[in-house]
Amino acid sequence: MSYLPYALAGWLFMIGLYGIVTSRHLVHLVVCLSVMQSSTYVFFLAVGYREGASAPIFKDYPLGKPAVDRRQRDRDGAAPRARDRDLEARRHRRSRRAEAEAAMTALVPLLVAIPLIVAALLVAAAQRIHPLVANVTAAAVAATVTVLAVLLIFRTSHAPIDYWFGGWHPRHGIAIGIAFHVEPLGAGVAAATGALATAALLFSLEYFAEHVQPYFHALMLIFLAAMIGFSLSGDLFNMFVFFELMSIIGFGLTGYRIERRSVLQGALNFGVTNTIAAFLIMFGIGLLYGRTGALNLQQIGETLRHRQPDGLVVVAFTVLAVGFLVKAGAFPFHFWLSDAYAVAPIPVCVLFSGVMSDLGLHGLARVYWDAFSGTLGGHDEAVKGVLLVVGCLSALVGAGMAFLQASLKRMMAFVTIAHIGAGLIGIALLSARGLAGATVYMVADGLVRGALFLAVGVIMYGLGNPNELRVFGRGRGMPVAAIVLLVGAVTTAAVPPFGPFVGRTLISQSAPGIVTAVLVVSGALGAAALLRASARIFLGLGDRRDPLLVAPPTGEDEDEGEERPIGLGLLLRLPAILLLAAGLGLAFATGLADRAALHTLRGAKPPPLPSLSQHVTTASVAYGVLSGVLALGLAAFGLYPRRLRLPGGRFAAPLLAGAKAVHDGVPGEYVAWLTFGAAAIGAALALLIR
Amino acid sequence: MTALQAMTIALVALGGLAVVLAYDPLRQAIVLGIYGVLLVILFVVFQAPDVALSELVAGSVAFPLILLATLAKLHGRREDE
Amino acid sequence: MSRRVRIRGFLVSALVLAALLGWGFAGLPDFGHFAGEYAQLLNRVATGERHATNVVTSIVFDYRGVDTMGEEFILFAAVITVGMLLRETRDEGRRAPRDEVRSDAIRLFGVSMVGATVLLGLSIVAHGTITPGGGFQGGVVCASGLALVYAAGSYRAYRAAGPYEFLELGESTGAGGYVAIGLAGLAAGSALLANVLPLGTAGELNSAGTITMLNAGVGLEVSAALVLLFHEFLEEVEHR
């Protein structure tokens, strides 16, 4: 009887899910989502309710008197009196260094506050200012935020910053406010986010010119703030708020040309799956709050540390992990991703592919290390095994599907899924080296993916279509796009000595052999797809028709139709080159990544890491080269598939058709897959840990 | 737990089921409004007046209104065709 | 994938998921016996520290004020998005506004309710620090006042009453104002969203320092945003 309210929440959640899977009407589906949403309210209420207590509204409170007596207040450690504060301030003033550090600390909230307030100003002035003015303003803000984030990487490299909003510092170990927990890893992600947003906004200056209204730029800025807030927040519920903000804006920016049916479908799949992911995260938060009474991640971790994991811990970890994996687009939660990235405008794709997907993994790593590593640490083989399987499947399915795409945008979407798989493998190793590798890999590769998407944008701008079969051989006059695409493709195969290579080396060194093989094959397949498309578009090599490839749904890239003269096109090309250079250059930042990883693992005390020269062994170079050669071979096969009469063709054909069909579905199917994935991950963890 | 609480829980559970199983959107919008009121009662019974007020204004006024506007639009389109 | 396969597969996975959820719930404290320190600490100190008799409000706008900033921008972004998408697709061939309701009695009654509704909304906003409710709830009530003009049947009056450029301005002032008040805390040498105003006397309308202003900002944002949202949807319906 005493669990009835929890059961009600579970019931509402499950029947809402059932309604969505069986729904035949869009409005019905949205209403079912609202039933699921009400389940989260009921759950929170049930968790926090205290028998016999009343709502916290103290109407009998005597006017002008303190609400609690003096002793109680001292025990609770109310805010220090003004004199104490003065003393503390004077003590601070003494050292210059402390002052500089305090100034740096004040930068933390600005990373979020500046883009938000400028976004509000842009909307207020939307009818009165020229779109290009809005665009330049937004780009300037993004660039400023990037610089601030880079400053924070260095500032936090010796000690992380806890920034307490409203000045509400914890009392007796209880966090009463919300903190941004800034460490080099989070600051690095924030800096990469800023860089990608700057590049995307510069690109849109010429790509969109005045064809978008200032609302678009305002949304891009709010998106930037949401992603940075998510990467820095040290509070579970606050992470959820920024997660929601990301989803709402991502959903809107995807649907930017909603009049086309495929766009509506893509935006819808995005909205529905990500909203369900958010509800799962809500349940995870409620479970942890019910157990620990805390929302601050480190406090949750401290409280959980002393107990063996039980059902609550396992289930809370499962739903939180699944929620973040949906955002990341890992298998089998990735279906929405290819539909959404295929229809979103290019500047938006740069942010989606370059950061948003990686943020899902970042969230997972953060929640695991801060909150769960203490209690699940004794069972890390179970967590490791389950996450490794998900990572490997994502890497293989993503790369395989990328190879089957004719549209460069969809291809890039699946390449993103494959790379998310590789990043997840790094995180799943649950070691400092794995995390450092995943970090370098996600940031470096994210920048390269951003550059690749911008190159695709140049092709769409100049040729009107991202489909390699339709613009066959017409890219001869586009050397910059060709070089970016080729170099980017080779890089994503993790060929030495670029950034992604270093990341993958760090990952594969502590991974089992079979996982390394998966990484090599996945990297090669994804790169091969891009190389094949480049060869068709820029060099006119290969067959003009290819039955192997998925034809994009009609209308998906039709309307970009017209060809536009690129001319000098500095703003179209420069951002891509800069992002690529940044991504490749990150090979030299591994020391920083190591330290970043150590910060994140603060509880686990791993052994010190060897330096870069020791990371790179003959074997790792060999894997990189092997991956590159394999990519070339596969690309050649992709160009001339019919010249090689492979014996397995008859068996492979239905398999490929099935894979293609599964990826072309309605929200109900994707939600069924989501349920399956969540159940499978949860059941596997439950069996392995129990 | 009081009998009142148990009763509202049962009502909300049934209400949610009714919303999901109402496959005709117009009927569903109305059932949803009733479900919203049931939730409001639940929140009041569970001592959460702030949440109850939010649910009252958002769940049983604003959301069904927008839903009805959407349905009106859809019906209008069907008539035109 | 056929519908039947999908639903069967779903039902099996859903059973497993439901069992897992149940297993997780079993680890929660018995209903009504939650012993979270965080909530109880805030209950004890919030009214004394923030002079707001409604503890929920001081949590929403102060202790966890950043969450509310995020939530406010969720609504802000959602409404901008809806407006942007719908305006993009709407064909501009406009019909003259026409009124559907012909009974003067209904019109009179409806319109006379508008004032009362808006007043009620404003009162809920203003009493946010004292009684249940606040900017969000009051804002929705205010917005539904304008929707009432439409429901009373006077689409023409509704169109005439709506200064839409001001609505957008109101929405962004509410959202931007929240951040600006937050930045005032930073500028005063404390942290973002720290209180910078005198706290006043608890239980009175102008108590609780910045909470009152943040609350009003949210009220402005929510009412403007919802009127804009109604407006965009109604334009869709009327211009079919």
Side-chain angles (χ1 to χ4, degrees):
Chain A
M1 200 58 179
S2 69
Y3 286 87
L4 203 57
Y6 305 140
L8 172 65
W11 163 253
L12 292 175
F13 183 84
M14 295 312 301
I15 57 167
L17 210 53
Y18 171 79
I20 289 169
V21 172
T22 58
S23 191
R24 293 168 191 268
H25 193 289
L26 187 51
V27 174
H28 176 264
L29 192 148
V30 172
V31 171
C32 290
L33 269 181
S34 83
V35 170
M36 289 183 80
Q37 183 165 40
S38 67
S39 79
T40 61
Y41 305 155
V42 170
F43 185 52
F44 276 19
L45 207 63
V47 167
Y49 182 77
R50 281 167 63 81
E51 207 159 51
S54 67
I57 292 157
F58 301 120
K59 50 181 181 299
D60 49 348
Y61 176 76
L63 297 188
K65 289 270 171 56
V68 281
D69 67 79
R70 192 58 187 237
R71 266 172 315 171
Q72 179 72 59
R73 204 170 128 188
D74 287 348
R75 218 180 62 212
D76 292 334
R81 268 161 293 164
R83 211 170 42 122
D84 297 348
R85 235 176 286 149
D86 270 3
L87 272 176
E88 203 177 320
R90 221 169 298 155
R91 211 168 40 234
H92 261 288
R93 233 166 278 151
R94 246 180 277 146
S95 92
R96 273 255 169 103
R97 194 195 153 127
E99 209 170 290
E101 291 203 343
M104 288 289 263
T105 309
L107 295 181
V108 173
L110 291 182
L111 289 179
V112 173
I114 294 179
L116 286 182
I117 201 164
V118 175
L121 289 173
L122 285 180
V123 171
Q127 307 286 350
R128 281 168 283 276
I129 56 172
H130 194 271
L132 288 180
V133 177
N135 198 334
V136 170
T137 315
V141 168
T144 313
V145 166
T146 314
V147 173
L148 296 184
V150 170
L151 285 176
L152 281 177
I153 300 179
F154 292 106
R155 162 66 180 80
T156 53
S157 64
H158 53 98
I161 301 177
D162 276 309
Y163 186 87
W164 295 94
F165 285 94
W168 296 112
H169 291 270
R171 295 182 193 157
H172 313 296
I174 298 174
I176 60 167
I178 293 173
F180 272 7
H181 183 75
V182 190
E183 48 195 352
L185 200 153
V189 174
T193 311
L196 282 159
T198 314
L201 283 163
L202 285 177
F203 180 79
S204 78
L205 257 179
E206 195 157 339
Y207 185 75
F208 278 141
E210 62 268 358
H211 299 300
V212 287
Q213 289 180 298
Y215 303 108
F216 174 79
H217 310 112
L219 285 177
M220 289 287 272
L221 283 182
I222 303 178
F223 197 38
L224 171 67
M227 290 192 288
I228 289 182
F230 183 81
S231 62
L232 298 183
S233 185
D235 181 286
L236 194 52
F237 194 82
N238 193 239
M239 282 176 84
F240 165 78
V241 170
F242 285 118
F243 181 95
E244 276 276 86
L245 188 53
M246 279 196 293
S247 299
I248 288 280
I249 297 189
F251 176 43
L253 288 175
T254 304
Y256 189 66
R257 284 163 191 272
I258 203 111
E259 71 268 25
R260 282 151 52 200
R261 200 179 162 71
S262 60
V263 174
L264 180 64
Q265 195 64 40
L268 200 72
N269 292 340
F270 186 141
V272 172
T273 40
N274 279 271
T275 308
I276 294 175
F279 296 153
L280 283 172
I281 292 178
M282 288 271 259
F283 269 88
I285 295 174
L287 285 168
L288 289 181
Y289 182 71
R291 167 65 54 83
T292 64
L295 292 171
N296 182 284
L297 275 175
Q298 290 177 40
Q299 199 187 328
I300 293 174
E302 275 309 307
T303 319
L304 290 180
R305 187 178 298 280
H306 311 291
R307 281 183 59 164
Q308 278 296 307
D310 61 351
L312 184 139
V313 170
V314 173
V315 174
F317 179 69
T318 303
V319 290
L320 286 170
V322 169
F324 291 130
L325 288 177
V326 170
K327 181 62 88 190
F331 179 88
F333 314 114
H334 65 286
F335 297 97
W336 67 272
L337 189 146
S338 50
D339 288 347
Y341 289 19
V343 295
I346 289 287
V348 177
C349 284
V350 171
L351 287 181
F352 279 3
S353 173
V355 233
M356 190 178 69
S357 301
D358 299 313
L359 280 180
L361 293 186
H362 179 69
L364 176 64
R366 183 134 196 184
V367 165
Y368 177 78
W369 285 109
D370 278 355
F372 289 99
S373 61
T375 177
L376 287 178
H379 301 268
D380 56 358
E381 285 304 316
V383 179
K384 199 170 155 176
V386 171
L387 291 183
L388 273 181
V389 169
V390 177
C392 288
L393 284 174
S394 312
L396 290 177
V397 171
M401 286 305 294
F403 196 72
L404 297 180
Q405 305 302 315
S407 160
L408 269 170
K409 274 181 99 186
R410 266 188 193 268
M411 189 186 292
M412 276 306 300
F414 283 108
V415 166
T416 308
I417 293 166
H419 292 185
I420 286 300
L424 181 57
I425 289 172
I427 289 171
L429 296 171
L430 304 182
S431 66
R433 185 174 291 175
L435 186 63
T439 306
V440 175
Y441 181 71
M442 286 190 306
V443 172
D445 198 68
L447 292 170
V448 173
R449 262 179 278 143
L452 284 171
F453 253 119
L454 286 176
V456 175
V458 175
I459 294 173
M460 284 176 69
Y461 187 94
L463 304 179
N465 201 307
N467 187 324
E468 66 176 69
L469 297 176
R470 289 202 197 173
V471 295
F472 187 88
R474 278 160 57 198
R476 288 204 172 85
M478 304 179 132
V480 175
I483 290 170
V484 171
L485 211 55
L486 281 171
V487 174
V490 170
T491 314
T492 60
V495 170
F498 305 118
F501 162 72
V502 176
R504 275 205 190 179
T505 301
L506 288 172
I507 295 173
S508 60
Q509 274 175 355
S510 43
I514 177 113
V515 174
T516 307
V518 167
L519 283 173
V520 169
V521 171
S522 154
L525 254 176
L530 290 166
L531 287 173
R532 182 198 68 210
S534 312
R536 280 218 171 95
I537 294 172
F538 300 116
L539 304 173
L541 293 178
D543 300 335
R544 268 169 189 274
R545 287 158 50 118
D546 195 340
L548 185 71
L549 301 187
V550 181
T554 43
E556 183 162 295
D557 37 45
E558 300 273 308
D559 114 312
E560 310 286 342
E562 90 250 44
E563 296 181 27
R564 285 175 284 189
I566 295 191
L568 190 57
L570 195 61
L571 285 172
L572 286 178
R573 291 161 174 163
L574 195 62
I577 297 172
L578 290 180
L579 281 186
L580 189 64
L584 303 187
L586 271 180
F588 308 102
T590 45
L592 205 59
D594 285 349
R595 254 178 299 162
L598 288 178
H599 275 304
T600 305
L601 264 62
R602 83 189 76 64
K605 291 204 180 57
L609 290 166
S611 68
L612 176 62
S613 53
Q614 287 160 288
H615 285 319
V616 179
T617 57
T618 326
S620 67
V621 174
Y623 284 134
V625 173
L626 176 65
S627 186
V629 173
L630 199 57
L632 284 175
L634 285 167
F637 163 69
L639 286 174
Y640 305 102
R642 273 176 289 179
R643 300 201 186 165
L644 289 167
R645 292 182 194 285
L646 290 182
R650 206 179 309 153
F651 304 102
L655 205 71
L656 291 180
K660 289 175 191 171
V662 163
H663 282 86
D664 184 18
V666 293
E669 282 177 25
Y670 296 174
V671 173
W673 276 106
L674 198 162
T675 316
F676 166 74
I681 291 178
L685 283 175
L687 292 175
L688 290 171
I689 290 177
R690 265 282 123 169
Chain B
M1 194 188 320
T2 64
L4 183 64
Q5 285 174 338
M7 213 168 72
T8 45
I9 286 176
L11 281 176
V12 170
L14 290 177
L17 186 65
V19 175
V20 169
L21 294 184
Y23 282 92
D24 171 50
L26 192 61
R27 185 181 303 164
Q28 196 188 26
I30 295 162
V31 179
L32 182 72
I34 299 170
Y35 174 68
V37 174
L38 290 175
L39 276 178
V40 171
I41 296 171
L42 180 90
F43 293 151
V44 170
V45 169
F46 281 24
Q47 293 289 336
D50 275 273
V51 190
L53 200 52
S54 308
E55 178 60 36
L56 185 68
V57 296
S60 36
V61 179
F63 187 49
L65 252 179
I66 287 173
L67 213 57
L68 286 176
T70 312
L71 290 175
K73 166 82 179 171
L74 289 178
H75 277 277
R77 193 180 282 166
R78 212 164 294 152
E79 275 164 27
D80 286 352
E81 275 163 8
Chain C
M1 198 176 2
S2 85
R3 195 179 152 83
R4 233 172 85 192
V5 174
R6 182 210 321 172
I7 292 177
R8 287 209 180 148
F10 165 77
L11 286 177
V12 173
S13 334
L15 275 180
V16 175
L17 187 62
L20 281 169
L21 282 180
W23 191 38
F25 293 160
L28 286 168
D30 276 9
F31 173 70
H33 294 85
F34 175 63
E37 255 305 304
Y38 185 13
Q40 294 182 47
L41 178 69
L42 284 178
N43 264 342
R44 284 201 301 270
V45 302
T47 309
E49 285 178 1
R50 296 304 281 115
H51 290 207
T53 51
N54 183 357
V55 174
V56 176
T57 304
S58 51
I59 293 171
V60 165
F61 290 107
D62 193 11
Y63 295 100
R64 301 191 63 83
V66 190
D67 278 349
T68 309
M69 186 169 85
E71 299 282 1
E72 200 188 10
F73 273 88
I74 288 178
L75 180 64
F76 182 69
V79 173
I80 301 175
T81 309
V82 169
M84 197 171 76
L85 300 186
L86 291 185
R87 252 170 286 166
E88 196 105 318
T89 57
R90 197 151 47 225
D91 39 343
E92 291 302 321
R94 301 206 158 186
R95 294 185 196 174
R98 68 201 150 95
D99 294 345
E100 308 253 354
V101 176
R102 309 235 178 266
S103 155
D104 284 338
I106 291 182
R107 273 194 203 170
L108 189 68
F109 177 71
V111 173
S112 65
M113 288 298 287
V114 173
T117 313
V118 172
L119 266 183
L120 175 68
L122 288 177
S123 150
I124 294 178
V125 176
H127 287 82
T129 54
I130 304 171
T131 55
F136 174 71
Q137 295 93 334
V140 182
V141 174
C142 280
S144 59
L146 230 122
L148 205 57
V149 179
Y150 172 79
S154 182
Y155 182 63
R156 255 181 311 180
Y158 163 81
R159 290 277 303 205
Y164 293 100
E165 305 85 83
F166 290 119
L167 280 178
E168 216 157 56
L169 199 62
E171 198 199 12
S172 30
T173 311
Y178 197 106
V179 186
I181 297 167
L183 286 173
L186 194 65
S190 186
L192 189 85
L193 287 167
N195 183 44
V196 289
L197 295 173
L199 289 175
T201 306
E204 288 183 2
L205 272 190
N206 61 348
S207 61
T210 39
I211 290 182
T212 311
M213 296 188 59
L214 294 173
N215 179 40
V218 170
L220 178 62
E221 201 266 337
V222 170
S223 26
L226 281 183
V227 174
L228 263 177
L229 198 63
F230 282 142
H231 171 68
E232 296 296 348
F233 271 89
L234 290 181
E235 290 292 283
E236 281 291 302
V237 177
E238 292 292 329
H239 291 151
R240 62 202 181 199

